[in-house]
Each structure stands twice: as structure tokens, then as C-alpha cells.
């Protein structure tokens, strides 16, 4: 039925388009200057039908499910639900639904069968109702749009208004999603802080998120101090950036300014392929190749190296970040006008001087943008560290030691059978929240710095 | 009589700052300049005139090897500055460009402060030993660029915030600041009002005391006012090169006459 409704809508839109276009053409044939091209009149009608009716169909589909469920449950015989809690009611509803879907297990009670029939009937009615609504609404809108066709009607602006409304809607979707995610994080974090004091979380230097599952279980009290975890993230991020920033920037500068066209046309795509390698591949590159190499190198110069080092995870992550930094920097450098380069070279600067004194400052916002993106990626990167970093939280800044990161801890906290009202699980949300805040603060700071030092060209 | 003539010619020869012989320029397959030979005299203003797209800028850019920066561009022929081949391996293009300064067709101040724009060349060439000297160089250059009075109170405001005409004068000041021996100016007045134009022309006249100045212009009046020599280009050919007076009063070539009287262009 829903498919039919969509088809109907499509046909209505096409019909509206044709009708209006045709009408506009015939008015035009009668002579007189037209404000809008005939196509705009058609588009106006089509969009006027599409946008509201599509909204109605979607809203209908979202709302009909819960509404029908309620009606079915409300229509059950007296006493059928006696003594059942929410979970039990859900089970009954699920059973009714599966009967309605034709999957009958055992011999259900008669009232369940009746309810299933009722469910099917309600769905049917809802579908027909939808089709009728679509048809009536569609036709009346078409009629309305048709009545507007005249030489003076500003269909062009009309179409633009509808489209700009659509664009506003799309951009609010992103905003609302973000707000929703932040709200849910905040809410769960708040619940976590009811179980664990804020000060312990923020300033504690111990991270051992074990919680007795049963009251009588013998287990250590959990400790939820996030400092060692975030410190681990920082260590790995710094290692990654130390690898990525120089390599990324220098290769961008080389490609942009010094490389002959042939080299550039080969190296640039290769760098972009690097960006397409899945992080899980980097992950096993880190554990199978880099970590053993560091360990055996450490052994030859008598340094004790942990099997899972921050250096291995961070170094490989740095390689992953190179293309981000280099392609952002390359774009930013390319965007600096040729006139700037000419001006500098014309005054007798070498290419290197031109790069450091003119191009680089002018491209700074773009370059910092790339680095910021890389920092955010490094802090939030999960797969490589899950595979190559450690699990034990330690207060250390030694990159040859094993550290754990915020993301690794979130993963381990949520793996396994845990219920959602246990501090251990909620701790994951608190960590997520902190991660979000840290990234936000870094972004704000960096934008400040860029605004202060940028040299805007126009 | 004969002797006097000979001496005059010798002086002229010694006076030649840049001498170009059979210069051809290609952009990929496009032949932009065909077999151009020109002697540009020292302490003289030479004007390049000709219709749009005839290769004036292209030829100008050969004189300080700015065409090197265009990958598709190929220059053949000999160009000598003070008798030295500028395309020789031993010549450093970077050094050459400090010697042969350039003002571009479109104003292109750096997105830096007015002060830093002018100080750019002196800084990279180490012309000032301390801040005071640099300040002096900057002020002198801005005065010569006829813009000092307008910017002296905001030397640390961005150069890109100036009006188009002010930007162009800033670029002239920037080029003058490195004390070049030759100054190439590509339509320096195309964005200027009559007052600023007059100031720049005055500046050009003043620069002539020390430098060779080459100016590309679309204004016949300007060429007539400021230059002593004029070269007329047409479709990549150097049609005529002579004293300005002669070009404007008694051109030899039919095309030159048509152009200056406004029939082609
Ligand atoms: N970078 C380039 N690549 C390819 N062709 C070019 C390039 N620059 C100039 N040309 C071509 O060379 C010819 C001469 O151009 P040039 O810029 O020297 O003309 P111009 O005389 O300065 O014109 P105008 O008075 O409009 O500035 C033109 O045909 C132009 O299309
Ligand atoms: Mg030009």
C-alpha cells in the first residue's frame, strides 16, 4: 500500500508538471511577455505537490506503527494482560505481530489470533486511508498550482522559495542530530556521575573499571580515574602527529611547488590511496610488523620495550594521517593566487623564500584545518589502538611503554554482557563525553590561533 | 661631421642596458613572440605598445626570466643585460630579478602589512643592517611610489586593505625598494585615477635619472608623455621600434600608423 502511495505521489508530481507547463505554453502562445519560463511553472507545481505530500507520507509511516499497536493492545479482552509488566506486554505484542506476519508457533490462544486479525485489518485500513489522503491532497494541490499559471506569476521565485525551504530543512537535520547526540551523551554522563563522584573521575589516577556483577561477588572496588586513559590518548596522538605533520607538510610543499608535473601526477594519487586504506589494515600492520620491529630493535640496543607500545600504535596512526595533512595543505597552497607567487619571485625571492614568507602564511588556515582534522582523527581513532595499543591504564608518558586510550577503554567497557544501568557501562558515556569536549576545546583554540596569525588574501 | 656621428653612436652603444636578439617565445605550441630584437637604453623610458594579446607582457617577462616560472613556456634567442647573457647557466635568475624589478599588470600586494610589503625585498636581500635602516628604506620607497602621505599613519595595516590604485602604487614602492637597475612596469596605471597616474608618471620620469624603465601601456598619450623610445608590437612581431617622437609623428609602418590613430587594436 505504501509503495502505491509513493507511486501515486510521483504520478501527481509529473501530472502537475505537465499540466502547468502545458497551460503556461498555451498562455504564452496567446502572446504576451512571460515572467518565468514554462519549465518553472511545471517545476513549481511538481515541487508544491512533492514536498508537503512526501512529508505527510513519511510522518504517517512513522506514526502509524505505534498507533496501531496501541489500538490492538487496547482492544484485547479484559484480563488478558492481567499481572504482566512492561516486558510481558511487549512479549505479547511481539507474538501477536509474528502471528499477523504468518509465523505461528505452537497453538496460541484465540484472543491472540483475533488480535492478529485485527492488526492486519488495521494496517490495511491505514494503507488505504493513506492512499486516499495522498490522492485528494495531490489533486487539490495540482488544481491550486494550475490556477496560478498566468503571464505575471513569478514561478521562478516560487520554485526558489520551495527549494530554499528544503535546504533549510536539510541543514537543520545535521544540527538536530548533533544536538541529539550531545544530549544523550550528557544524560548518560549525568547518570554515571550519580554513581561515581565527579572529582574521582576527573582527578583520579587509577582506572580499573571492575564492578561486582552480583552483590555477593568478591571483586575489587572499581576505580574510575580517567587521567591515565586520557594521558595514553595524548601520548599516542603526539607520537602520531610527530610522524604525520612533518611528512605531510613537507610532501605537500614539495608536490605543490617543487615537483615537476609528472611526479606530482603520480605521487598525489598514491597519497590519496593511503587515505583509502581501512584502519583495520593499519592495525595489523602495527601489531604484525611495526611492534615486533621496534621490540627487536630495542633488544639490540638493550632497551626494554613493551610488546604493545604507544610508539607502534602512534607511528602507524601517523602514517594514516599523512594524507589528511598533505591533501589539506596542498589544497590550501594551490588556492593561493599565482599573482602572490609572481610578486614574490619578481622581487628576487627563491622558491623556498616565497614558500616560507608568502605562501605558507597565506595558506595557514587551510593547513591548520588539516592538522586539526588529523588531531581529531587521532584522538577518536579506535581500530588501530584497539589492535596495537595496550589495555592496562598507566600513568606514563614513555612512548616505549604500553598505554591504553579513551577509545580502547570505551570499546572494552561496552563489550560483553553488561546492563545499561551499571557504572561500568555508563563510564563509557562519560569517556565519550570527555573525548568530545577535548576535541571541541582543541578546535576552538586552534581557530583562535589561526584567526590571529592568518594573512588573508583576496 | 662623420666623427661626431661615430661618437654619438658609441655613446648609444655604451648606453644599451638590455639587448635582445632574435627572441622567440612559445607557450606549448603557441608562438607568442616571433624573432624580436630590441636594444633598451639605460636611463631611458621605453614604452611597449600594441593591441591586447600581442605579447607585450610576454616579452617583458623574458627580460627578468619570469617566464621560467611557467612550465609550458619556452624562450629562445639571446638577451643580454650589461653585455651578459641572462639565460646563461652562470646567471642566477633570483639575483637577476633583484636587479630587474617588475610591477605587474594586476596589483598584487602580499597579505601582509604595508610596511612588510615594502620591506619584503630589502629583507630577503639583506639590504638593511638594522631596523632604523629598514624604516628608512621603506619610507623612501613609499615616497617614491607617491603613496607615503596616504599610508604613513597606517603602515601596519594590511596592504590588501588599500584601494586598487593605492595597491598598485604600493607594488611600485615595493619594486623600487630593492633598488633595481631596470624597472619593468606592466600597465602600472591601468587601475589609477588621473591624479595617481600623474604621480606615477612623475615617478617614472624621476626613476629615469638612475634606471632603465620599460613600461607597457595602452594609453598612447601616456607613452608619448613618459617615454623616449617606443616599441610597437603586433601579433607577436615587433613592428617598429624608434624614438617616441618619430613613432607618433611619422611612423614608418602602415600598421603602426593605424594603431596609433585608433584604426586597429
Ligand atoms: N601562461 C600562458 N599560457 C599560454 N598562453 C599564454 C600565456 N600567457 C600569455 N599567453 C598567450 O600569449 C599571447 C600574448 O599574451 P600577453 O599576455 O603577452 O599579451 P599582452 O600583449 O600583454 O596583452 P594585454 O595588453 O591584454 O595584457 C596571447 O595570445 C596569450 O593568449
Ligand atoms: Mg599584458
Amino acid at each position: 500500500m505504501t509503495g502505491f502511495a509513493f507511486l501515486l505521489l510521483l504520478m501527481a508530481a509529473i501530472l502537475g508538471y505537465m499540466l502547468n507547463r502545458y497551460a503556461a505554453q498555451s498562455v504564452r502562445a496567446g502572446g504576451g511577455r512571460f515572467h518565468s519560463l514554462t519549465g518553472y511553472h511545471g517545476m513549481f507545481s511538481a515541487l508544491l505537490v512533492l514536498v508537503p505530500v512526501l512529508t505527510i507520507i513519511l510522518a504517517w509511516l512513522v506514526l502509524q506503527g505505534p498507533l496501531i499497536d496501541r489500538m490492538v493492545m487496547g482492544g484485547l479482552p479484559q484480563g488478558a494482560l492481567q499481572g504482566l509488566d512492561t516486558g510481558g506486554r511487549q512479549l505479547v505484542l511481539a507474538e501477536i505481530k509474528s502471528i499477523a506476519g504468518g509465523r505461528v508457533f505452537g497453538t496460541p490462544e484465540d484472543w491472540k489470533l483475533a488480535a492478529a486479525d485485527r492488526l492486519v485489518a488495521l494496517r490495511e485500513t491505514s494503507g488505504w486511508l493513506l492512499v486516499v489522503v495522498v490522492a485528494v491532497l495531490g489533486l487539490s494541490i495540482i488544481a491550486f498550482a494550475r490556477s496560478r499559471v498566468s503571464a505575471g506569476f513569478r514561478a521562478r521565485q516560487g520554485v526558489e522559495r520551495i527549494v530554499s525551504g528544503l535546504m533549510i530543512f536539510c541543514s537543520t537535520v545535521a544540527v538536530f542530530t548533533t544536538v541529539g547526540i550531545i544530549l544523550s551523551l550528557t544524560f548518560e554522563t549525568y547518570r554515571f556521575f550519580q554513581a561515581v563522584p565527579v572529582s574521582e573521575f576527573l582527578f583520579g589516577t587509577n582506572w580499573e573499571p571492575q564492578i561486582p556483577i552480583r552483590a555477593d561477588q568478591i571483586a575489587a572496588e572499581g576505580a574510575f580515574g580517567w587521567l591515565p586513559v586520557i594521558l595514553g590518548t595524548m601520548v599516542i596522538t603526539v607520537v602520531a602527529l610527530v610522524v604525520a605533520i612533518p611528512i605531510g607538510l613537507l610532501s605537500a610543499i614539495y608536490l605543490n611547488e617543487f615537483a615537476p608535473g609528472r611526479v606530482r601526477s603520480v605521487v598525489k594519487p598514491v597519497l590519496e590511496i593511503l587515505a583509502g586504506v581501512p584502519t583495520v589494515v593499519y592495525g595489523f600492520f602495527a601489531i604484525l610488523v611495526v611492534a615486533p620491529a621496534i621490540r627487536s630493535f630495542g633488544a639490540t640496543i638493550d632497551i626494554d620495550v613493551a610488546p604493545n607500545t604507544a610508539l607502534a600504535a602512534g607511528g602507524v596512526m601517523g602514517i594514516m594521517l599523512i594524507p589528511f595533512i598533505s591533501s589539506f595543505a596542498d589544497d590550501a597552497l594551490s588556492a593561493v593566487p599565482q599573482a602572490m607567487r609572481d610578486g614574490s619571485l619578481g622581487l628576487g625571492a627563491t622558491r623556498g623564500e616565497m614558500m616560507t614568507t608568502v605562501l605558507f602564511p597565506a595558506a595557514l588556515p587551510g593547513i591548520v584545518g588539516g592538522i586539526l582534522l588529523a588531531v581529531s582523527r587521532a584522538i577518536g581513532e579506535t581500530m588501530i589502538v584497539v589492535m596495537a595499543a595496550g589495555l592496562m591504564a598507566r600513568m606514563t608518558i614513555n612512548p616505549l611503554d604500553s598505554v591504553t586510550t579513551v577509545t580502547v577503554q570505551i570499546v572494552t567497557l561496552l563489550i560483553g554482557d553488561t546492563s545499561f544501568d551499571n557504572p561500568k557501562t555508563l563510564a563509557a558515556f562519560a569517556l565519550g563525553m570527555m573525548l568530545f569536549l577535548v576535541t571541541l576545546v582543541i578546535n576552538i583554540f586552534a581557530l583562535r590561533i589561526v584567526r590571529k596569525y592568518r594573512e588573508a588574501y583576496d | 661631421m662623420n666623427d661626431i656621428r661615430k661618437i654619438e653612436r658609441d655613446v648609444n652603444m655604451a648606453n644599451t642596458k638590455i639587448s635582445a636578439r632574435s627572441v622567440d617565445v612559445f607557450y606549448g605550441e603557441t608562438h607568442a613572440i616571433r624573432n624580436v630584437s630590441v636594444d633598451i637604453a639605460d636611463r631611458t623610458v621605453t614604452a611597449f605598445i600594441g593591441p591586447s594579446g600581442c605579447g607585450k607582457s610576454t616579452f617583458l617577462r623574458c627580460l627578468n626570466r619570469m617566464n621560467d616560472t611557467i612550465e609550458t613556456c619556452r624562450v629562445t634567442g639571446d638577451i643580454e643585460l650589461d653585455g651578459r647573457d641572462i639565460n646563461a647557466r652562470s646567471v642566477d635568475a633570483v639575483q637577476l630579478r633583484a636587479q630587474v624589478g617588475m610591477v605587474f599588470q594586476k596589483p598584487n600586494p602580499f597579505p601582509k602589512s604595508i610596511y612588510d610589503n615594502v620591506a619584503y625585498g630589502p629583507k630577503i636581500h639583506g639590504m638593511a643592517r638594522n631596523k632604523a635602516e629598514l624604516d628608512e628604506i621603506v619610507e623612501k620607497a613609499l615616497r617614491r611610489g607617491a603613496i607615503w602621505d596616504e599610508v604613513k599613519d597606517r603602515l601596519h595595516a594590511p596592504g590588501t586593505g588599500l584601494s586598487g590604485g593605492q595597491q598598485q602604487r604600493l607594488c611600485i614602492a615595493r619594486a623600487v625598494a630593492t633598488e633595481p637597475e631596470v624597472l619593468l612596469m606592466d600597465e602600472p596605471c591601468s587601475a589609477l585615477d588621473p591624479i595617481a597616474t600623474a604621480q606615477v608618471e612623475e615617478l617614472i620620469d624621476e626613476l629615469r635619472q638612475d634606471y632603465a624603465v620599460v613600461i607597457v601601456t595602452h594609453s598612447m598619450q601616456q607613452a608619448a608623455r613618459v617615454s623616449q623610445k617606443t616599441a610597437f608590437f603586433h601579433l607577436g612581431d615587433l613592428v617598429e621600434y624608434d624614438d617616441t617622437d618619430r613613432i607618433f609623428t611619422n611612423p614608418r609602418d602602415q600598421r603602426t600608423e593605424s594603431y596609433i590613430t585608433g584604426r586597429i587594436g
Side-chain angles (χ1 to χ4, degrees):
Chain A
M1 247 341 97
T2 3
F4 190 56
F6 276 111
L7 193 70
L8 211 61
L9 173 60
L10 190 69
M11 277 165 19
I14 294 173
L15 180 70
Y17 180 85
M18 306 287 268
L19 267 181
N20 262 27
R21 209 186 130 113
Y22 182 72
Q25 268 166 353
S26 57
V27 174
R28 193 178 188 181
R33 269 186 68 82
F34 244 71
H35 175 272
S36 305
L37 295 175
T38 52
Y40 278 111
H41 285 277
M43 277 310 274
F44 176 72
S45 176
L47 283 174
L48 209 59
V49 174
L50 268 180
V51 174
V53 178
L54 193 64
T55 319
I56 287 176
I57 294 181
L58 292 180
W60 191 293
L61 292 180
V62 170
L63 294 180
Q64 82 169 10
L67 204 66
I68 291 177
D69 289 354
R70 273 179 156 242
M71 288 166 75
V72 169
M73 293 306 272
L76 290 182
Q78 289 275 300
L81 295 176
Q82 198 121 50
L84 287 176
D85 58 356
T86 3
R89 282 161 191 262
Q90 294 288 333
L91 278 179
V92 172
L93 181 61
E95 193 179 349
I96 292 173
K97 276 187 178 166
S98 75
I99 296 170
R103 297 179 301 275
V104 187
F105 303 104
T107 44
E109 294 90 326
D110 280 344
W111 58 267
K112 280 185 183 163
L113 289 174
D117 285 344
R118 206 167 128 67
L119 184 70
V120 173
L122 278 173
R123 278 185 182 161
E124 186 98 334
T125 323
S126 165
W128 277 114
L129 215 57
L130 177 62
V131 169
V132 171
V133 167
V134 168
V136 170
L137 212 60
L139 285 177
S140 38
I141 293 177
I142 290 173
F144 169 74
R146 170 67 186 80
S147 73
R148 301 302 304 267
V149 177
S150 68
F153 179 57
R154 301 183 180 168
R156 248 197 297 180
Q157 278 89 335
V159 168
E160 245 162 58
R161 257 197 306 280
I162 299 175
V163 171
S164 75
L166 214 60
M167 290 188 284
I168 291 173
F169 172 74
C170 290
S171 45
T172 46
V173 166
V175 173
F176 278 117
T177 319
T178 315
V179 170
I181 291 175
I182 294 174
L183 279 184
S184 83
L185 263 183
T186 315
F187 181 67
E188 301 294 341
T189 307
Y190 174 74
R191 293 212 315 176
F192 172 71
F193 285 137
Q194 283 178 329
V196 175
V198 180
S199 59
E200 188 197 324
F201 179 73
L202 285 185
F203 305 113
T205 55
N206 232 339
W207 178 263
E208 278 159 12
Q210 279 78 304
I211 283 285
I213 292 171
R214 298 183 313 275
D216 58 344
Q217 194 178 26
I218 301 167
E221 260 306 296
F224 292 96
W226 82 311
L227 284 181
V229 187
I230 187 73
L231 193 66
T233 293
M234 291 299 163
V235 171
I236 290 192
T237 303
V238 168
V239 171
L241 292 179
V242 165
V243 173
I245 291 180
I247 299 183
L249 279 189
L250 290 178
S251 63
I253 289 174
Y254 171 70
L255 286 181
N256 197 275
E257 210 39 55
F258 297 93
R262 241 171 331 115
V263 174
R264 185 182 156 84
S265 65
V266 174
V267 176
K268 201 153 192 245
V270 172
L271 268 179
E272 264 144 30
I273 289 173
L274 207 56
V277 176
T279 53
V280 73
V281 175
Y282 284 112
F284 48 75
F285 179 59
I287 27 175
L288 297 182
V289 181
V290 179
I294 292 176
R295 202 169 154 76
S296 67
F297 180 73
T300 59
I301 55 172
D302 263 348
I303 295 179
D304 198 23
V305 179
N308 293 319
T309 57
L311 188 62
V316 171
M317 198 191 284
I319 293 173
M320 178 193 86
L321 295 178
I322 289 171
F324 283 93
I325 293 181
S326 77
S327 73
F328 263 71
D330 189 47
D331 289 348
L333 289 172
S334 306
V336 180
Q338 180 64 30
M340 295 292 115
R341 297 159 204 256
D342 284 349
S344 174
L345 294 174
L347 287 169
T350 61
R351 280 176 187 272
E353 283 164 349
M354 169 186 76
M355 179 57 71
T356 49
T357 56
V358 176
L359 289 196
F360 205 76
L364 193 65
I367 292 172
V368 173
I371 294 178
L372 267 189
L373 190 70
V375 171
S376 307
R377 281 292 306 247
I379 291 179
E381 170 54 39
T382 311
M383 208 38 167
I384 295 177
V385 281
V386 164
M387 292 170 81
L391 284 177
M392 291 295 291
R394 263 193 233 153
M395 286 296 275
T396 174
I397 54 166
N398 176 6
L400 294 180
D401 222 334
S402 153
V403 298
T404 189
T405 70
V406 177
T407 48
V408 170
Q409 288 308 313
I410 291 177
V411 170
T412 49
L413 287 173
L414 293 182
I415 283 177
D417 41 349
T418 44
S419 62
F420 263 79
D421 44 9
N422 167 332
K424 186 182 162 201
T425 323
L426 291 174
F429 288 96
L431 284 181
M433 186 77 193
M434 298 312 287
L435 210 52
F436 172 72
L437 289 180
V438 167
T439 324
L440 191 70
V441 168
I442 292 176
N443 273 289
I444 291 173
F445 257 106
L447 285 181
R448 279 261 165 97
I449 292 171
V450 168
R451 205 163 300 152
K452 186 152 175 225
Y453 290 106
R454 75 176 297 191
E455 292 185 349
Y457 52 85
D458 44 15
Chain B
M1 184 69 189
N2 245 350
D3 275 349
I4 294 173
R5 276 207 152 175
K6 188 169 181 299
I7 290 168
E8 212 177 72
R9 206 169 51 235
D10 278 356
V11 169
N12 271 344
M13 287 298 288
N15 252 347
T16 299
K17 186 73 181 172
I18 298 179
S19 128
R21 288 287 165 271
S22 324
V23 174
D24 284 78
V25 181
F26 303 85
Y27 288 110
E29 295 296 301
T30 323
H31 201 163
I33 289 286
R34 296 162 208 274
N35 193 24
V36 169
S37 301
V38 156
D39 282 327
I40 289 166
D42 202 4
R43 294 165 203 262
T44 306
V45 179
T46 306
F48 287 177
I49 60 171
S52 190
C54 67
K56 305 180 295 293
S57 302
T58 302
F59 185 68
L60 201 66
R61 290 165 62 95
C62 294
L63 302 182
N64 66 346
R65 284 179 61 181
M66 276 304 282
N67 282 331
D68 290 11
T69 62
I70 300 175
E71 228 173 302
T72 55
C73 186
R74 197 158 53 80
V75 181
T76 62
D78 288 330
I79 302 175
E80 290 181 354
L81 174 72
D82 291 329
R84 242 171 19 123
D85 180 8
I86 65 168
N87 288 311
R89 279 182 162 271
S90 59
V91 172
D92 175 13
V94 169
Q95 210 56 47
L96 175 74
R97 290 184 198 129
Q99 241 175 331
V100 182
M102 183 157 201
V103 176
F104 293 84
Q105 193 162 350
K106 270 184 276 171
N108 58 347
F110 301 131
K112 299 177 182 295
S113 71
I114 293 169
Y115 182 94
D116 287 336
N117 261 284
V118 181
Y120 187 84
K123 266 188 199 161
I124 55 179
H125 299 300
M127 290 167 60
R129 264 165 307 178
N130 52 43
K131 179 86 169 71
E133 270 185 34
L134 192 62
D135 287 350
E136 205 174 298
I137 291 175
V138 169
E139 179 175 342
K140 189 169 154 223
L142 285 170
R143 281 188 193 283
R144 298 182 87 174
I147 194 184
W148 170 253
D149 288 333
E150 285 156 76
V151 301
K152 63 172 184 265
D153 299 324
R154 45 169 175 158
L155 287 178
H156 296 283
T160 39
L162 297 172
S163 79
Q166 290 172 326
Q167 289 186 5
Q168 188 61 301
R169 278 177 288 151
L170 176 63
C171 293
I172 294 175
R174 188 174 72 180
V176 172
T178 49
E179 300 285 346
E181 297 164 24
V182 180
L183 191 60
L184 310 174
M185 301 174 113
D186 198 345
E187 295 182 40
C189 299
S190 56
L192 301 190
D193 66 13
I195 299 170
T197 303
Q199 285 168 333
V200 170
E201 287 178 3
E202 209 171 292
L203 163 71
I204 293 172
D205 212 50
E206 190 188 308
L207 292 172
R208 179 162 71 90
Q209 309 307 319
D210 309 311
Y211 308 141
V213 179
V214 183
I215 176 172
V216 172
T217 178
H218 279 291
S219 154
M220 299 304 124
Q221 291 87 342
Q222 184 171 56
R225 276 196 304 266
V226 300
S227 72
Q228 288 78 50
K229 291 274 197 178
T230 296
F232 172 63
F233 287 82
H234 189 238
L235 299 177
D237 296 312
L238 176 62
V239 175
E240 195 165 343
Y241 176 53
D242 212 328
D243 290 341
T244 301
D245 291 343
R246 169 147 195 149
I247 294 266
F248 282 98
T249 53
N250 190 12
R252 264 186 277 260
D253 195 287
Q254 181 59 40
R255 286 170 291 175
T256 318
E257 192 184 345
S258 307
Y259 182 69
I260 59 176
T261 54
R263 259 171 289 153
I264 57 171

